Amino acid sequence: MAAARTALRLLLCAGTGVAPRHVALIRQPCPVCGGPHGRPGLVDGPPPFSLAYSQDLCLIALARTPVGIDLERVPPPEAVASLTTLHPREQSELDRLPGHERALAFTRAWVRGLTRGLSTDYVGTGAGTAAQPAGWTITDVTVDPTRAAAIAVRDG
């Protein structure tokens, strides 16, 4: 975690021209409840960034428009068996898959999801191209067979 935050500060320094020790981070309001536990951001604004980490791996995204990146370890198949938090079309896709393929497909949909709620936007569960909710471009990020990752960039 400390290495991920250090890497983020160094990238933000390069993107803003500000010395790493002067890169001031804040917590933005939560998009769901408005509380002070939302995404991190820079006190002085752009560039939008996102940081995700899973054990020994981190991903950082910087963009000119709002961006989100997510990285998750694929859970054991039994952990996904009773989850129904996805979009109804995605849940239907999972139900049609053999049991041993569901955990990876669920995790793919999870990391592609936007903060509006996993059941709101259809992003798909299949390998390859994610479905594109209005206003966003979502792309899978290849990491390793034990994890799934995706990046979402707001169009514009």
Side-chain angles (χ1 to χ4, degrees), residues 1-11 20 25 51-60:
M1 174 73 160
R5 289 186 177 165
T6 300
L8 174 63
R9 281 190 175 276
L10 291 173
L11 286 171
L25 300 173
L51 167 69
Y53 55 91
S54 172
Q55 295 177 327
D56 61 341
L57 181 64
C58 82
L59 299 174
I60 299 171

Side-chain angles (χ1 to χ4, degrees), residues 57-119:
L57 181 64
C58 82
L59 299 174
I60 299 171
L62 299 173
R64 292 190 173 131
T65 62
V67 62
I69 196 158
D70 197 7
L71 168 69
E72 297 291 336
R73 184 166 293 282
V74 177
E78 60 274 8
V80 192
S82 63
L83 296 174
T84 58
T85 58
L86 300 178
H87 186 278
R89 284 177 56 196
E90 293 159 354
Q91 193 62 52
S92 177
E93 291 172 10
L94 287 182
D95 292 343
R96 291 190 306 266
L97 289 173
H100 68 279
E101 293 180 18
R102 288 184 187 150
L104 176 57
F106 173 85
T107 309
R108 251 193 308 267
W110 181 273
V111 298
R112 291 173 181 170
L114 302 173
T115 58
R116 298 185 285 232
L118 289 174
S119 64

